[in-house]
């Protein structure tokens, strides 16, 4: 595993907590704690509630490291054993941490400003989240075909894990659908905003999931027919 990637991973993992701890002394005692789908604040809370999300990010980072080790152990590829799955997992973790960091800094800003209506903020939180999520799918789609068979990461179904052939075909197909999904989500962020951006992006994700699952079923069925 490359040292630079791990340094970046740990920086992104601990940065939200460090920044929030520093920001606490400057935050107002009462901050917006929850917004509804119409961008209106529905609950105010203590400034110490701003620590909750950074702690969740820290837990996410730890979980992804555990997942990475588990996925690497399931890979068996000679001298480069574990390298592919390890790289994919760490990349996924970094992308997830980038998304969470952006959300942390956004909500620290709204806390400082005591924003009651998110529509007044120039940058739309839904566009940030869905845009970064779209980028996540594009990057993961490009490296997905490198994932070796395991029970943790990749396009995993009973059919895709039937054998190496079905696994490789499923990951290649999943990589293509991830890229298409990511590009579509990024385009959605340019064309829409607010809750519409979120709902359309989630709709695209829900449509792509059964397509991927059906493909794994079909390729496994074709493989069974070829073997019989």
């Amino acid at each position: 595993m490359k040292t630079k990637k791990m340094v970046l991973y740990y920086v992104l993992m601990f940065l939200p907590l460090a920044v929030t701890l520093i920001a606490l002394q400057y935050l107002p005692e009462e901050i917006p704690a929850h917004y509804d789908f119409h961008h209106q604040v529905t609950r105010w809370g203590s400034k110490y509630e701003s620590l909750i999300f950074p702690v969740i990010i820290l837990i996410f980072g730890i979980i992804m490291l555990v997942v990475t080790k588990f996925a690497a152990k399931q890979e068996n590829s000679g001298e480069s054993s574990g390298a592919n799955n390890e790289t994919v997992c760490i990349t996924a973790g970094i992308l997830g941490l980038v998304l969470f960091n952006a959300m942390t800094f956004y909500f620290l800003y709204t806390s400082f400003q005591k924003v009651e209506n998110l529509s007044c903020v120039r940058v739309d939180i839904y566009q940030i989240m869905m845009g970064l999520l779209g980028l996540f799918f594009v990057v993961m789609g490009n490296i997905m075909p490198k994932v070796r068979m395991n029970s943790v990461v990749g396009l995993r179904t009973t059919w895709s894990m039937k054998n190496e052939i079905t696994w490789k075909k499923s990951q290649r197909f999943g990589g293509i659908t991830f890229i298409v999904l990511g590009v579509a989500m990024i385009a959605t962020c340019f064309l829409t905003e607010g809750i519409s951006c979120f709902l359309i992006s989630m709709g695209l994700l829900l449509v792509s999931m059964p397509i991927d699952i059906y493909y794994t079923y079909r390729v496994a069925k074709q493989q069974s027919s070829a073997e019989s």
Side-chain angles (χ1 to χ4, degrees):
M1 188 183 303
K2 292 183 179 180
T3 304
K4 289 183 180 180
K5 270 192 175 182
M6 287 311 302
V7 170
L8 177 59
Y9 186 95
Y10 283 114
V11 167
L12 292 172
M13 189 168 119
F14 287 101
L15 185 61
L17 182 60
V19 172
T20 302
L21 286 171
I22 295 171
L24 274 178
Q25 57 186 318
Y26 304 106
L27 286 173
E29 292 299 320
E30 190 178 62
I31 62 172
H34 184 266
Y35 294 91
D36 60 21
F37 282 127
H38 300 291
H39 292 181
Q40 300 291 331
V41 63
T42 57
R43 185 176 72 83
W44 295 82
S46 166
K47 66 179 181 179
Y48 293 101
E49 290 187 39
S50 60
L51 288 169
I52 295 175
F53 197 48
V55 171
I56 292 174
I57 294 172
L58 189 61
I59 294 172
F60 167 80
I62 294 171
I63 290 174
M64 284 302 298
L65 288 175
V66 173
V67 168
T68 298
K69 289 185 178 180
F70 190 69
K73 285 182 180 179
Q74 291 188 359
E75 180 180 344
N76 183 19
S77 57
E79 295 181 359
S80 60
S81 179
N84 290 331
N85 289 359
E86 189 177 41
T87 299
V88 170
C89 288
I90 289 300
T91 301
I94 289 173
L95 293 170
L97 288 169
V98 167
L99 172 59
F100 292 143
N101 272 255
M103 292 173 65
T104 299
F105 300 140
Y106 181 91
F107 286 118
L108 278 178
Y109 171 79
T110 60
S111 295
F112 271 118
Q113 301 298 322
K114 300 187 75 169
V115 176
E116 297 186 26
N117 185 348
L118 291 179
S119 299
C120 298
V121 181
R122 180 174 296 181
V123 181
D124 188 283
I125 183 60
Y126 292 113
Q127 289 178 319
I128 293 175
M129 290 192 299
M130 295 302 103
L132 289 174
L133 188 59
L135 178 62
F136 171 89
F137 283 118
V138 170
V139 175
M140 292 306 296
N142 276 283
I143 63 177
M144 201 168 170
K146 298 178 182 179
V147 179
R148 301 299 177 89
M149 188 183 295
N150 70 95
S151 60
V152 183
V153 294
L155 180 51
R156 295 170 293 107
T157 68
T158 302
W159 304 295
S160 69
M161 297 184 70
K162 180 179 179 181
N163 54 48
E164 285 292 337
I165 295 176
T166 58
W167 174 264
K168 289 179 180 179
K169 287 184 177 180
S170 295
Q171 304 319 303
R172 284 197 294 268
F173 182 83
I176 294 172
T177 58
F178 266 39
I179 293 172
V180 173
L181 172 62
V183 171
M185 291 178 76
I186 292 172
T188 298
C189 293
F190 283 103
L191 298 174
T192 62
E193 60 183 20
I195 190 62
S196 296
C197 178
F198 174 78
L199 292 177
I200 293 173
S201 296
M202 289 298 98
L204 291 169
L205 178 59
L206 291 175
V207 168
S208 69
M209 288 173 62
I211 294 175
D212 285 340
I213 294 172
Y214 174 74
Y215 179 83
T216 65
Y217 163 76
R218 194 183 73 175
V219 75
K221 190 174 181 180
Q222 290 175 344
Q223 184 66 21
S224 296
S225 299
E227 292 174 353
S228 59

